[in-house]
Amino acid sequence: VIKCKAAILWEANKPFSIEEVEVAPPKANEVRIKIVATGICRSDDHVITGALVMPFPIILGHEAAGVVESVGEGVTSVKPGDKIIPLFVPQCGECSSCLSTKGNLCSKNDISSAAGLMADGTTRFTCKGKAIHHFIGTSTFTEYTVVHESAVAKIDSAAPLEKVCLIGCGFSTGYGAALQTAKVEPGSTCAVFGLGGVGLSVVMGCKAAGASRIIAVDINKDKFAKAKELGATDCVNPKDFKKPIHEVLIEMTGHGVDYSFEVIGRTETMTAALACCQYNYGVSVIVGVPPAAQNITFDPMLLFSGRTWKGSVFGGWKSKDSVPKLVADYMNKKFVLEPLITHTLPFTKINEGFDLLRTGK
């Protein structure tokens, strides 16, 4: 058993509490990891606000990089000392999604079931005598965590962990939404709703795919300079217009965009993103986590005319196969991660990090 620091969320809408936790050794087919760097993602905040329902108390965090500390019986893909990235979408290699060339959402994921436990129905974290839940099979807001072998990818030993941790969620999710899910083509027009880290990564993916026009949409104009630096050709603030934003985008392009991406997680922007893409062959991708217990009402004629509405989890990448390749691409300077990092804080200042997230900074 390792005793270390972890940021525990005891209940909703409260700050994280830095506590000493006990982390049990890995069981068969499990890996214990020393977390070196972790990013803060809006999905973590969604658990705090209740928009993403998970059991409490819980150790959140899912975008990270670290080093293998020890392995359980039967683990063959990693060994102690290996640099790794934990995978919130595992890759078991055996379920229907893993076996399909079209799928990537392994059935062993804990996003849909939200049990907050390891595969055997127990937890590896204890604090003050209480069992603490895991978060989507990763739980990275702790100095040590335990994950299943199918939820860990070995990466280049030279990779800077404080940068490539973003490949564990934000960067891969956005970049893949453009390249893998939408399959943006050269010369096409794109609209990206929401310019946080994931939205900016969508912009980078659209640019890498050769899009001729990338319209960035956000109500925070402070986000525009970075969006342009990463490839956006136009930046639009819905607050500057009296008319609905989808009408503005249709006017800007003449017939709507070829591809639109909702990277916020709000139902009204999801329908706006659908409505702004070309009426017959436009494709709209939902990238932001939808809020719990909310439904969308929309005119089905939007789809009948030929549009495609898609979802994308972890950018459509098969995680265990793709994460090491994405790290290699970063090392070969195929894309940058530095502009996505705005602040670097010590672990004990995690609550300040979330304040920065919530204020759009």
Side-chain angles (χ1 to χ4, degrees), residues 9-31:
L9 195 66
W10 292 103
E11 53 185 304
N13 296 305
K14 288 277 163 58
F16 290 93
S17 179
I18 303 286
E19 308 270 7
E20 182 180 84
V21 293
E22 291 169 0
V23 185
K27 294 187 182 179
N29 305 309
E30 294 177 357
V31 180

Side-chain angles (χ1 to χ4, degrees), residues 23-24 26 30-32 118 124-125 134 137-138 144-148:
V23 185
E30 294 177 357
V31 180
R32 188 160 59 180
M118 296 297 284
R124 302 292 165 270
F125 299 119
H134 293 249
T138 47
Y144 288 87
T145 190
V146 177
V147 305
H148 193 272

